Amino acid sequence: MTSADASVFETTRPASADYLSRLAASDAGRDYKGRMLDALDLRAGLTVLDAGCGPGADLPALAEAVTLGGTVIGVDRDQEMLDAAAAARTAAHPGVELRWGNIHALPLDDASVDRARTDRVLQWVDDPARALAEFHRVLRPGGRLVMGEPDWDTLAVDHPHPSLSRAYTRYVTEQVIRNAAIGRQLARLATDAGFPVPEVIPATQVFRDVRAADRVFGFERTTRRAVEAGYLSEYQAAVWLHHLAHRPFFASATLYVVVAEA
């Protein structure tokens, strides 16, 4: 990679809270998050769970949708994320509660929430089926669960050498993301957990600006790790990154919004 290439790509991994906040603020983030919010069908007085709430980017919108008579419960297992949520997101929303907890054992009573959401969390968890069983436990009859998860096999990056794009995507799906195909699996897993699944909404994210895409995908950092893992040679990595940095850019990936009913 040349110095000119380096000026295009981030070389330092952002803090997790910063990464999630800027993803939420991106065009792609606002698009699919808006679809998730619409699918939740919120109204005043409801109790809403945001499982894996991170730094709380979505808590204010949920709180505004249920107004003063409702409650929003943000759960995360990372105390630093909860601290960030408390500091930056919830001061103006007294109806928001933050709780430390694991998505495999939610800190809520049975049948205690009307709506639940989880956003790009199940791709990382140890046992997605167990997490879905927990959602089924805490939702009241007639409640609704909305999940947003990518299918990383759909990651497509234009390159004149398609084998390099395929190698990059294969590294991501095999080595980076724990549950890389969770997007396509969600409807089945939710059905197995006892949920009817009335709707699956595909949200394809398209990137035409390499810098904007790099803020999501971390091309240079991920490519270096792919080289270390043997998916690309040093020469192939240089060819791959140079083209991304200097030629017209296109990438896309599909995230699925899955609606499940209790």
Side-chain angles (χ1 to χ4, degrees):
M1 186 172 65
T2 68
S3 58
D5 298 341
S7 67
V8 172
F9 302 114
E10 289 187 337
T11 56
T12 303
R13 182 183 179 89
S16 295
D18 292 340
Y19 174 80
L20 292 172
S21 295
R22 75 188 192 187
L23 175 63
S26 69
D27 290 342
R30 287 194 299 269
D31 175 65
Y32 85 83
K33 287 177 181 290
R35 299 188 193 200
M36 291 185 68
L37 186 63
D38 290 344
L40 279 168
D41 189 27
L42 298 178
R43 59 182 182 272
L46 295 182
T47 298
V48 185
L49 165 66
D50 188 4
C53 66
D58 301 294
L59 297 176
L62 299 175
E64 290 166 9
V66 299
T67 69
L68 294 177
T71 301
V72 176
I73 303 169
V75 173
D76 206 281
R77 66 177 184 176
D78 186 329
Q79 188 59 49
E80 290 187 7
M81 290 288 190
L82 292 174
D83 292 344
R89 307 287 181 182
T90 63
H93 300 282
V96 174
E97 301 176 12
L98 297 174
R99 302 182 188 180
W100 184 92
N102 193 306
I103 201 169
H104 297 106
L106 291 167
L108 294 116
D109 294 334
D110 294 357
S112 58
V113 301
D114 302 294
R115 300 287 190 270
R117 74 183 297 279
T118 187
D119 182 351
R120 301 174 67 99
V121 173
L122 297 178
Q123 64 181 321
W124 300 112
V125 303
D126 293 334
D127 189 346
R130 183 177 170 191
L132 282 159
E134 277 293 280
F135 284 121
H136 196 273
R137 177 183 68 80
V138 303
L139 275 165
R140 295 181 178 124
R144 176 172 290 191
L145 167 65
V146 176
M147 302 168 283
E149 294 291 340
D151 186 327
W152 284 97
D153 270 330
T154 67
L155 174 60
V157 184
D158 176 52
H159 198 279
H161 302 291
S163 61
L164 302 186
S165 295
R166 286 193 291 267
Y168 179 88
T169 297
R170 190 164 60 87
Y171 170 71
V172 171
T173 59
E174 293 179 358
Q175 301 296 331
V176 178
I177 309 297
R178 175 172 289 169
N179 305 309
I182 189 67
R184 78 185 70 168
Q185 298 166 349
L186 273 180
R188 169 174 54 83
L189 293 173
T191 300
D192 290 346
F195 289 103
V197 179
E199 192 171 20
V200 177
I201 306 164
T204 299
Q205 302 164 333
V206 173
F207 300 86
R208 301 290 303 279
D209 180 83
V210 65
R211 288 177 174 84
D214 187 57
R215 289 169 65 83
V216 175
F217 299 114
F219 286 119
E220 194 274 339
R221 299 188 305 276
T222 304
T223 297
R224 291 301 159 204
R225 290 159 59 195
V227 170
E228 293 171 2
Y231 285 76
L232 293 165
S233 69
E234 288 281 359
Y235 175 75
Q236 287 173 323
V239 170
W240 159 256
L241 291 172
H242 185 77
H243 179 87
L244 299 188
H246 298 289
R247 299 295 297 155
F249 180 82
F250 176 92
S252 66
T254 299
L255 177 144
Y256 294 97
V257 176
V258 177
V259 180
E261 295 181 342

